[in-house]
Amino acid sequence: MMPVEWPLAASAADRQVDPARPGARRDRLGAVMLDFFLEDGSRLTDEERALIAAMLRGLIGEIVDELIAGLPAMLAAQAEKGRDGLYRRLRAARLLERQGLVALLLRRADEQQLSAHADRNHPTVASLISDDNAPIAEAAMALALARGRRRDRFGRMSVEFDDLAAEDAVALVHAVAAGMKDALSDEADEALGSAAHALIARHDEGRRLNAAVAALARSLETQKRADDTLIKRLAEDGDASLLVGLLARRAGIDQLDAWNFFTGGEAMLLARLAGCDRTTAAQMLASFEQISGAHAAEHLIEGYDSLDDAAVERRRRWLRLDPHYRAARRALEGDHG
């Protein structure tokens, strides 16, 4: 059984799988082999799987609500009947298997796991709301509100439509609209298309949660407030996203690269790129045991000590190259990271 705090995963975890059932997929053997030989560290935990599924269902539900609101009254009433089974059909048709979408969901799941023991009131951000510096206070308020909209009453994170990259938003809206068509008449295509285009036109990447984090990090760095003292306070808060946003600003690298370092075993390289002192780097490890493991912190802090300035600068120059260029170089010559 799944723990009670993950009720969404309980039914899936308890469901018996009959390998001889008539509806079994023909490619099940390949899927089982891939899953069986997957390294444990690469496999989603039951908690991560439950959270990602809940976030994706919630996102699909939000899109359905917006599309129905854009339909004529008669069609809207009929479309409500098409909710049941829509998520399952979209999954079966593999219309949800978009790399950008899954990366976003995984990022949110990582944030949830990293903040599991954090103060959900984000005391440092809360204190910045009343800061004497107006741009910092405004950015802190915007981040607090954005985070509040994306947490349910149990403190679990969610994803909003605006969090999607533009290309994923377009694809997902049209996929959901096509799925809703099954409950409507043949004449509903144009109405669904119009509702989809209207929703896509309202999509604004500037309202992404990551944009709010980046805006506050930018304000703090511009006002010379992104020092090691603030880094340590954010680490103590368990505020991984703003912590990484500040480190990215200080390092002069993309926020996504910084997040991948932080969660991918290279947090000490990120600390060196951002110019953090050893005490601050150690505080990061102490506050986020998930990034180091219970017994690996000492090994990682040794990595901080072993990185020389020349090696750090080489990595910085590489990371400041266009990501498309870096991807092409890796494909052609191997990983130069």
Side-chain angles (χ1 to χ4, degrees), residues 308-315 317:
D308 62 76
D309 292 342
V312 172
E313 287 308 312
R314 283 196 299 272
R315 291 298 291 270
R317 289 195 298 271

Side-chain angles (χ1 to χ4, degrees), residues 191-204:
L192 279 169
S194 296
H197 284 119
L199 175 55
I200 291 167
R202 296 195 299 273
H203 179 260
D204 184 358

